Amino acid sequence: MQHCIAIFLVIETDRSQAVAKRVRALVEGPILTWARETAGYSIQDVANKFKKDPELILAWESGEEMPFMGQLRIMADMFKRPISDFYLPAPPAERPLPHDFRRPRGAIAGDYSPALRKQLRFACERQDITKDLLDDMGDQLVHFPHQARMRQSPERVGQSIRDILSVAATEQITWKDPRETLNGWRQRIEAQNILVFQFDGVDVEEAWGFSIVEPVFPVIGINKKLAPNGRTFTMLHEFTHLLMGRSGICDIDDYTQRAQADMEVEVFCNHAAAAALMPEAEFRANKTVCSCSGPAVDWSDQEIKDIASSFGVSREAAVRRLLTFNLTTVDFYRERRAEYHAQLSAQKAREREQNKEKDFIGQSGPQRAISDFGSNYVRTILNSLGEQRITLADAAQYLQVRAPAVRKVQELAL
């Protein structure tokens, strides 16, 4: 009998899928255009997905023809939108994308990949969820009060960041490894009512991080493909963007030729982030650094590692700080920078090959939810669930875990 039921269900499923392929989706052309463009795809991209002529996609978007339901579901998955979005009465107003500080001079503005656009949209959605749920619970939404200006010294802004976040040198040296350093700085930033998200699926060549300036719960996004010390530096770079009130997408590269105004902002944010991580007095007092009195080009790799580990930063950041205080040369910094980037690329290639040869075991769903979404977002979801303002299904959807795993998220969060 059970076999008969199973066969019947398979037949019914196949039949419903076949019907979906034949039923037209009554969607408006402008909605299809909006969904495609905001996801970062061209007409040709969609045509390639369906192995059809671009003229068919144009006919869908012009309203001359309508896709079948099966085709609509494929587009919904491709554009990472729920089916319900395609039945909106009109394309909704979209938030402006953060400014592109990565853009080389002469490149097209806002040339973001679909993967990056998806992460930006998801970050904005989680920001809205956080504010809506807190408002529903009657919590006061606290405005981010801090500011910085480019007319200020980046060294002083770096010290202001340490003061705002209450990070003392005596505490920083207790963070024994790069991951502990990352978590220590992240906790202090999140305590300022900032949402700090980690994202994946975006190449570091495209973006190291982004910032979304808002009066309440501004957002910092960090690329998980970076090493922990790279994520820490990026997080403080983006925190400086929030202080300046300038949303942005960044790659922390301040050598590529860009628009002068963009270059000035990126150099300033890099300098302030470095000053926050490695204050001048503590840096000069470092036992390895204080042995040098002028521009040196014979820093050993071990010496650079020792300096970097003292502050929980990358070797590149440590060498750049030496350059800031005229303790090495521009040529030495550029040589080391190229060397470190080549080493990182080789390491990533090895990791990709190793992961192909064995089953890769990453974080569990609950662990990933806390790591990716951060304490402010996760706590808001769990508190709303505890007050029965959202259902278990809602909480699971917001945390991107299965419903039974929500309890594990609660245990880890506590």
Side-chain angles (χ1 to χ4, degrees), residues 154 233 236-238 240-241 244 264-274:
F233 191 93
L236 288 165
H237 175 103
E238 300 302 342
T240 308
H241 270 276
M244 298 171 69
E264 289 173 358
V265 171
E266 292 300 88
V267 169
F268 184 93
C269 290
N270 280 347
H271 193 155

Side-chain angles (χ1 to χ4, degrees), residues 291-304:
S291 64
C292 178
S293 58
V297 294
D298 58 351
W299 292 99
S300 70
D301 198 47
Q302 187 58 53
E303 287 175 320
I304 294 169

Side-chain angles (χ1 to χ4, degrees), residues 21-242:
K21 290 180 180 179
R22 295 196 303 268
V23 174
R24 294 285 182 180
L26 304 179
V27 291
E28 299 293 333
I31 292 290
L32 294 177
T33 303
W34 160 78
R36 174 182 59 77
E37 290 180 345
T38 55
Y41 290 103
S42 67
I43 291 283
Q44 188 63 56
D45 292 331
V46 182
N48 292 342
K49 178 72 172 179
F50 288 103
K51 298 180 180 177
K52 302 286 186 181
D53 258 357
E55 285 72 19
L56 176 62
I57 315 304
L58 286 167
W60 290 348
E61 295 191 4
S62 68
E64 294 176 17
E65 291 191 37
M66 289 185 177
F68 293 107
M69 280 301 303
Q71 293 169 325
L72 182 64
R73 291 197 180 102
I74 292 172
M75 282 190 282
D77 180 66
M78 183 179 184
F79 304 154
K80 303 304 177 190
R81 288 193 177 275
I83 288 286
S84 58
D85 278 6
F86 292 86
Y87 290 94
L88 293 169
E94 289 284 317
R95 287 196 205 181
L97 292 168
H99 182 73
D100 188 355
F101 285 96
R102 315 155 304 147
R103 187 172 76 254
R105 188 173 295 166
I108 300 172
D111 186 17
Y112 307 152
S113 71
L116 179 55
R117 283 174 176 267
K118 179 183 75 173
Q119 294 301 336
L120 290 167
R121 189 171 80 245
F122 285 179
C124 290
E125 288 174 0
R126 290 193 290 268
Q127 183 188 50
D128 289 339
I129 289 167
T130 302
K131 291 190 289 188
D132 290 345
L133 291 179
L134 286 173
D135 187 55
D136 186 51
M137 289 187 288
D139 287 16
Q140 183 177 1
L141 299 180
V142 180
H143 283 229
F144 182 66
H146 307 291
Q147 291 183 338
R149 294 288 180 266
M150 283 191 60
R151 62 175 177 269
Q152 296 175 265
S153 159
E155 291 290 329
R156 300 191 77 172
V157 171
Q159 184 56 53
S160 295
I161 291 172
R162 295 180 72 90
D163 294 341
I164 292 167
L165 303 181
S166 300
V167 175
T170 51
E171 179 182 21
Q172 187 177 356
I173 61 174
T174 66
W175 296 333
K176 297 301 183 183
D177 62 69
R179 196 167 295 277
E180 189 176 357
T181 299
L182 169 64
N183 291 333
W185 284 100
R186 183 180 183 179
Q187 288 167 8
R188 296 307 176 87
I189 289 175
E190 288 180 323
Q192 299 299 312
N193 293 309
I194 294 171
L195 296 168
V196 181
F197 300 137
Q198 297 193 101
F199 61 88
D200 55 15
V202 178
D203 289 337
V204 292
E205 288 77 10
E206 179 175 19
W208 283 36
F210 59 77
S211 50
I212 301 174
V213 174
E214 289 283 340
V216 175
F217 280 112
V219 172
I220 290 173
I222 317 166
N223 196 329
K224 287 177 68 176
K225 291 187 177 181
L226 295 168
N229 49 27
R231 280 180 259 171
T232 300
F233 191 93
T234 300
M235 186 166 55
L236 288 165
H237 175 103
E238 300 302 342
F239 184 78
T240 308
H241 270 276
L242 297 185

